[in-house]
Amino acid sequence: AGVTLGTRIGINSGNVFAGNVGTRERMNYTVHGDAVNLAARLMQKAEPGQVVASQDVLDRTTTHFSKVELEPFMVKGKSMPIQAAIVGQPGEVENEQPHIGHSAFVGREAELELLTGLAGAALAGTGSLVEVSGEPGIGKSRLVREVLHQHLGLRVLRMRGGHYARNSPFFTIRRLLRRELAIDEASPDVAGKVLTGWVGSNAPELLPWLPLLAIPIGAEVPSTAEVDLLAEQFRRDRLLTVTSDLAVAMLNEPIALLAEDVHLFDTGSLDVYRQLAARAATMPWLMIATHRSEPGFVRPDAHAIALESLGDDELASLAAAAGAM
């Protein structure tokens, strides 16, 4: 009979000693140090199939993970309790309303006027794509939050790229579609049943293409004759088209589709997003893409906002406003 091994993982960060240890007859390449020892203690806290990470690791990651915090615990060699958590699936809360915060908004009058007008047009049924580009910290997110805060009639859906997401096919679009189907953490078979039911009720013309839709959503469905007969060289293009069709059917209402760090989208999600952008004018969507690439990265016909640093007078006003708070 086969034996099932339960994998447990502990993750910590810190300086380590790495090198060959042993003799000529028996030598191993290994790592030693306090950081390694704590990682081993975290592994012991994990149940089979779990990943436990130290708080230091969780504080440093730029990808949001669902997590279950553990009660602080003592380990040998440490005088203070260790804080750690069981790490779950990576992702974003796409429909979270943006928090405006307490910082004053200064300058960017022309950019704010453009975005405000396009947001009003989306509420009236005419959509558009806007690309906001610039260096890190230049104020892309702050500008977008200011506009969306003023137009609360637009339901905000967020998509965010990242280094983890970039290497996971369809990661970003999967998070969006699964949230709209209310199957965030569902298993592939459950996701397949929900997807089949939703498509049958809301977009029956897509039923023949369910096996293709199941790929970006991470679902399991039976094959269909139409997909079986589709030549391999046409499958990706058809997959992108029907995934875009599904998103259109799901999002037929005034929304702000905020895509942050689009330059870090995985290829599949970026291709689907570009297809949605091509349809924006016929939908009640304000599509806003922020990135660090050149204007036109998503589509050459997008409204382009290339942010530059605030002027000295604007910076002085911002500093004065911050000091008055």
Side-chain angles (χ1 to χ4, degrees), residues 111-134:
E111 294 87 350
L112 186 60
E113 182 180 358
L114 171 62
L115 285 168
T116 298
L118 295 176
L123 283 169
T126 301
S128 58
L129 168 68
V130 185
E131 294 187 35
V132 183
S133 60

Side-chain angles (χ1 to χ4, degrees), residues 71-120:
E71 288 290 330
F73 56 93
M74 300 297 299
V75 299
K76 182 179 179 181
K78 295 289 186 180
S79 60
M80 300 294 291
I82 300 300
Q83 293 184 314
I86 301 169
V87 180
Q89 293 295 318
E92 286 292 329
V93 183
E94 283 90 354
N95 62 350
E96 179 184 72
Q97 290 291 339
H99 176 58
I100 196 65
H102 300 291
S103 60
F105 186 82
V106 174
R108 314 292 194 202
E109 289 87 358
E111 294 87 350
L112 186 60
E113 182 180 358
L114 171 62
L115 285 168
T116 298
L118 295 176

Side-chain angles (χ1 to χ4, degrees), residues 53-205:
S54 65
Q55 189 61 49
D56 182 60
V57 169
L58 296 171
D59 289 341
R60 291 168 182 265
T61 181
T62 58
T63 300
H64 171 78
F65 291 86
S66 63
K67 60 185 179 181
V68 177
E69 294 187 358
L70 300 176
E71 288 290 330
F73 56 93
M74 300 297 299
V75 299
K76 182 179 179 181
K78 295 289 186 180
S79 60
M80 300 294 291
I82 300 300
Q83 293 184 314
I86 301 169
V87 180
Q89 293 295 318
E92 286 292 329
V93 183
E94 283 90 354
N95 62 350
E96 179 184 72
Q97 290 291 339
H99 176 58
I100 196 65
H102 300 291
S103 60
F105 186 82
V106 174
R108 314 292 194 202
E109 289 87 358
E111 294 87 350
L112 186 60
E113 182 180 358
L114 171 62
L115 285 168
T116 298
L118 295 176
L123 283 169
T126 301
S128 58
L129 168 68
V130 185
E131 294 187 35
V132 183
S133 60
E135 295 299 315
I138 201 72
K140 300 185 295 293
S141 297
R142 184 65 182 86
L143 171 64
V144 172
R145 289 201 308 270
E146 184 70 22
V147 173
L148 298 183
H149 181 69
Q150 296 178 12
H151 293 83
L152 298 180
L154 289 173
R155 184 164 72 100
V156 180
L157 300 179
R158 295 179 63 217
M159 306 167 67
R160 171 169 286 170
H163 293 289
Y164 180 96
R166 193 175 193 176
N167 297 317
S168 302
F170 295 105
F171 175 87
T172 306
I173 194 67
R174 176 176 296 131
R175 296 297 299 177
L176 175 69
L177 297 178
R178 273 185 163 248
R179 180 163 295 278
E180 290 303 296
L181 288 169
I183 54 171
D184 284 15
E185 304 298 332
S187 62
D189 59 329
V190 172
K193 293 175 183 177
V194 174
L195 173 63
T196 301
W198 194 96
V199 171
S201 299
N202 299 278
E205 69 279 6

Side-chain angles (χ1 to χ4, degrees), residues 209-222:
W209 308 111
L210 276 175
L212 297 181
L213 291 171
I215 294 172
I217 289 177
E220 291 180 357
V221 300

Side-chain angles (χ1 to χ4, degrees), residues 210-240:
L210 276 175
L212 297 181
L213 291 171
I215 294 172
I217 289 177
E220 291 180 357
V221 300
S223 188
T224 63
E226 289 82 356
V227 173
D228 289 341
L229 292 172
L230 188 63
E232 186 66 32
Q233 64 265 34
F234 301 125
R235 288 195 173 217
R236 179 174 172 78
D237 286 345
R238 174 61 66 176
L239 185 155
L240 296 174

Side-chain angles (χ1 to χ4, degrees), residues 3 16 18 35 42 44 99 117 123 167 171 228 248 256 260 265 307:
V3 177
V16 300
L42 296 173
Q44 293 171 352
H99 176 58
L123 283 169
N167 297 317
F171 175 87
D228 289 341
V248 167
E260 300 178 275
F265 272 25
L307 293 184

Side-chain angles (χ1 to χ4, degrees), residues 198-199 203-211 213 241-243 245-247 249:
W198 194 96
V199 171
E205 69 279 6
L206 295 178
L207 283 172
W209 308 111
L210 276 175
L213 291 171
T241 299
V242 296
T243 302
D245 291 340
L246 178 65

